[in-house]
Coordinates of all heavy atoms in Angstrom, one line a residue:
P61 N 12.3 25.4 24.3 CA 13.7 25.2 24.0 C 14.3 26.4 23.4 O 13.6 27.2 22.7 CB 13.8 24.0 23.1 CG 12.4 23.6 22.8 CD 11.4 24.5 23.6
A62 N 15.6 26.6 23.6 CA 16.3 27.7 23.0 C 16.2 27.7 21.4 O 16.2 28.8 20.8 CB 17.8 27.7 23.3
S63 N 15.9 26.6 20.9 CA 15.8 26.5 19.4 C 14.5 27.0 18.9 O 14.3 27.2 17.7 CB 15.9 25.0 19.0 OG 14.8 24.2 19.5
G64 N 13.6 27.4 19.8 CA 12.3 28.0 19.4 C 11.1 27.1 19.4 O 10.0 27.6 19.3
G65 N 11.2 25.9 19.7 CA 10.1 25.0 19.8 C 9.7 24.3 18.5 O 10.3 24.5 17.4
P66 N 8.6 23.5 18.5 CA 8.2 22.7 17.4 C 7.8 23.6 16.1 O 8.1 23.2 15.0 CB 7.0 22.0 17.9 CG 7.3 21.8 19.4 CD 7.9 23.1 19.8
A67 N 7.2 24.7 16.3 CA 6.8 25.6 15.2 C 8.1 26.0 14.4 O 8.1 26.0 13.2 CB 6.0 26.7 15.6
S68 N 9.1 26.4 15.2 CA 10.3 26.9 14.6 C 11.0 25.7 13.9 O 11.6 25.9 12.8 CB 11.3 27.5 15.6 OG 10.7 28.6 16.1
M69 N 11.0 24.5 14.5 CA 11.6 23.4 13.9 C 10.9 23.0 12.6 O 11.6 22.7 11.6 CB 11.5 22.2 14.9 CG 12.1 20.9 14.3 SD 11.8 19.4 15.4 CE 10.0 19.4 15.3
A70 N 9.6 23.0 12.6 CA 8.9 22.7 11.3 C 9.3 23.7 10.2 O 9.5 23.3 9.1 CB 7.4 22.8 11.6
A71 N 9.3 25.0 10.6 CA 9.7 26.0 9.6 C 11.1 25.8 9.1 O 11.3 25.9 7.9 CB 9.6 27.4 10.2
A72 N 12.0 25.4 10.0 CA 13.4 25.1 9.5 C 13.5 24.0 8.5 O 14.4 23.9 7.7 CB 14.3 24.8 10.7
F73 N 12.6 23.0 8.7 CA 12.5 21.9 7.7 C 11.6 22.1 6.5 O 11.5 21.3 5.7 CB 12.1 20.6 8.5 CG 13.2 19.9 9.2 CD1 13.6 20.3 10.5 CD2 14.0 18.9 8.6 CE1 14.6 19.7 11.1 CE2 15.0 18.3 9.2 CZ 15.3 18.7 10.5
G74 N 10.9 23.2 6.5 CA 10.1 23.6 5.4 C 8.8 22.7 5.4 O 8.3 22.4 4.3
V75 N 8.3 22.3 6.5 CA 7.1 21.5 6.6 C 6.1 22.3 7.4 O 6.4 23.1 8.3 CB 7.3 20.1 7.2 CG1 8.3 19.3 6.3 CG2 7.8 20.2 8.6
P76 N 4.8 22.0 7.2 CA 3.7 22.8 7.9 C 3.7 22.4 9.4 O 3.9 21.3 9.8 CB 2.4 22.3 7.2 CG 2.8 21.7 5.9 CD 4.2 21.2 6.1
Y77 N 3.5 23.5 10.2 CA 3.2 23.3 11.6 C 1.7 23.2 11.7 O 1.0 24.2 11.4 CB 3.7 24.5 12.4 CG 3.4 24.4 13.9 CD1 4.0 23.5 14.7 CD2 2.5 25.3 14.4 CE1 3.8 23.5 16.1 CE2 2.2 25.3 15.8 CZ 2.9 24.4 16.6 OH 2.6 24.3 17.9
L78 N 1.1 22.1 12.1 CA -0.3 21.9 12.1 C -1.0 22.4 13.4 O -2.2 22.5 13.4 CB -0.6 20.4 11.9 CG 0.0 19.7 10.7 CD1 -0.3 18.2 10.6 CD2 -0.6 20.4 9.4
G79 N -0.3 22.6 14.4 CA -0.9 23.2 15.6 C -0.4 22.5 16.9 O 0.5 21.6 16.8
K80 N -1.0 22.9 18.0 CA -0.6 22.3 19.3 C -1.8 21.8 20.1 O -2.9 22.3 19.9 CB 0.1 23.4 20.1 CG -0.7 24.6 20.4 CD 0.2 25.6 21.2 CE -0.7 26.8 21.6 NZ 0.1 27.7 22.5
L81 N -1.6 20.8 20.9 CA -2.6 20.2 21.7 C -2.2 20.2 23.1 O -1.3 19.5 23.5 CB -2.9 18.7 21.3 CG -3.5 18.5 19.9 CD1 -3.5 17.1 19.5 CD2 -4.9 19.1 20.0
P82 N -2.8 21.1 24.0 CA -2.5 21.0 25.4 C -3.1 19.8 26.0 O -4.1 19.2 25.5 CB -3.1 22.3 25.9 CG -4.2 22.6 25.0 CD -3.8 22.1 23.6
M83 N -2.6 19.5 27.2 CA -3.2 18.4 28.0 C -4.5 19.1 28.6 O -4.4 20.1 29.3 CB -2.3 17.9 29.1 CG -1.1 17.2 28.6 SD 0.0 16.5 29.8 CE 0.9 18.0 30.3
D84 N -5.6 18.4 28.4 CA -6.9 19.0 28.8 C -7.8 17.9 29.3 O -8.2 17.0 28.5 CB -7.5 19.7 27.6 CG -8.8 20.5 28.0 OD1 -9.4 20.2 29.0 OD2 -9.2 21.4 27.2
P85 N -8.1 17.9 30.6 CA -9.0 16.8 31.1 C -10.3 16.7 30.4 O -10.9 15.7 30.3 CB -9.2 17.2 32.6 CG -8.0 18.0 32.9 CD -7.6 18.8 31.7
T86 N -10.8 17.9 29.9 CA -12.1 17.9 29.2 C -12.0 17.0 27.9 O -12.9 16.3 27.5 CB -12.5 19.3 28.8 OG1 -12.4 20.1 30.0 CG2 -13.9 19.4 28.2
M87 N -10.8 17.1 27.2 CA -10.6 16.3 26.0 C -10.6 14.8 26.4 O -11.2 14.0 25.6 CB -9.3 16.7 25.3 CG -9.1 15.9 24.0 SD -7.5 16.3 23.2 CE -7.7 17.9 22.7
L88 N -9.9 14.5 27.4 CA -9.9 13.1 27.9 C -11.3 12.6 28.1 O -11.7 11.5 27.7 CB -9.0 12.9 29.1 CG -9.0 11.5 29.8 CD1 -8.4 10.5 28.8 CD2 -8.2 11.5 31.1
A89 N -12.1 13.4 28.8 CA -13.5 13.0 29.1 C -14.3 12.8 27.8 O -15.0 11.8 27.7 CB -14.2 14.0 30.0

Side-chain angles (χ1 to χ4, degrees):
S63 64
S68 295
M69 179 190 62
F73 277 86
V75 298
Y77 176 72
L78 300 177
K80 61 183 186 172
L81 291 171
M83 292 183 282
D84 185 339
T86 308
M87 183 184 291
L88 175 61

